[in-house]
Amino acid sequence: MCAEFCGNAFFVQAVQHQNRLRRLLEFGSYANSRRVQDWCREHVAIIEAIAAGDLNQASARMRLHLEHALATTPVAQKNGN
């Protein structure tokens, strides 16, 4: 949804493609259902901030969401991040 707001069709298509690949490779392998629930809550909080017109809050929530996602990647866990 956020990508669609930018109005760049190439960017929207790239994000959609990346999401499909990520879902295919990742969702089946998540053993931590708590983290998946947290991700969904984070997505909703980002959307709610956008809907409220609070783009600074939306940006902060997106940054935090991406930091959490990065911290759960195998590379980050291997490096102790």
Side-chain angles (χ1 to χ4, degrees), residues 32-46 61 64-65 68-69 72:
N32 185 349
S33 63
R34 166 76 193 259
R35 185 62 200 132
V36 173
Q37 292 172 1
D38 289 344
W39 282 335
C40 291
R41 286 186 198 98
E42 292 169 4
H43 289 176
V44 169
I46 294 165
R61 289 183 180 275
L64 185 61
H65 171 68
H68 289 161
T72 63

Side-chain angles (χ1 to χ4, degrees), residues 3-76:
E4 290 177 8
F5 287 141
C6 77
N8 181 325
F10 175 78
F11 186 65
V12 172
Q13 184 179 17
V15 170
Q16 289 171 339
H17 182 69
Q18 185 272 337
N19 280 336
R20 286 185 198 114
L21 289 173
R22 180 178 47 81
R23 285 185 190 115
L24 177 66
L25 297 173
E26 294 179 358
F27 282 149
S29 65
Y30 286 129
N32 185 349
S33 63
R34 166 76 193 259
R35 185 62 200 132
V36 173
Q37 292 172 1
D38 289 344
W39 282 335
C40 291
R41 286 186 198 98
E42 292 169 4
H43 289 176
V44 169
I46 294 165
I47 293 167
E48 287 175 342
I50 292 169
D54 190 346
L55 300 184
N56 288 328
Q57 180 70 3
S59 175
R61 289 183 180 275
M62 177 64 86
R63 184 175 292 109
L64 185 61
H65 171 68
L66 293 174
E67 288 171 359
H68 289 161
L70 178 61
T72 63
T73 63
V75 172

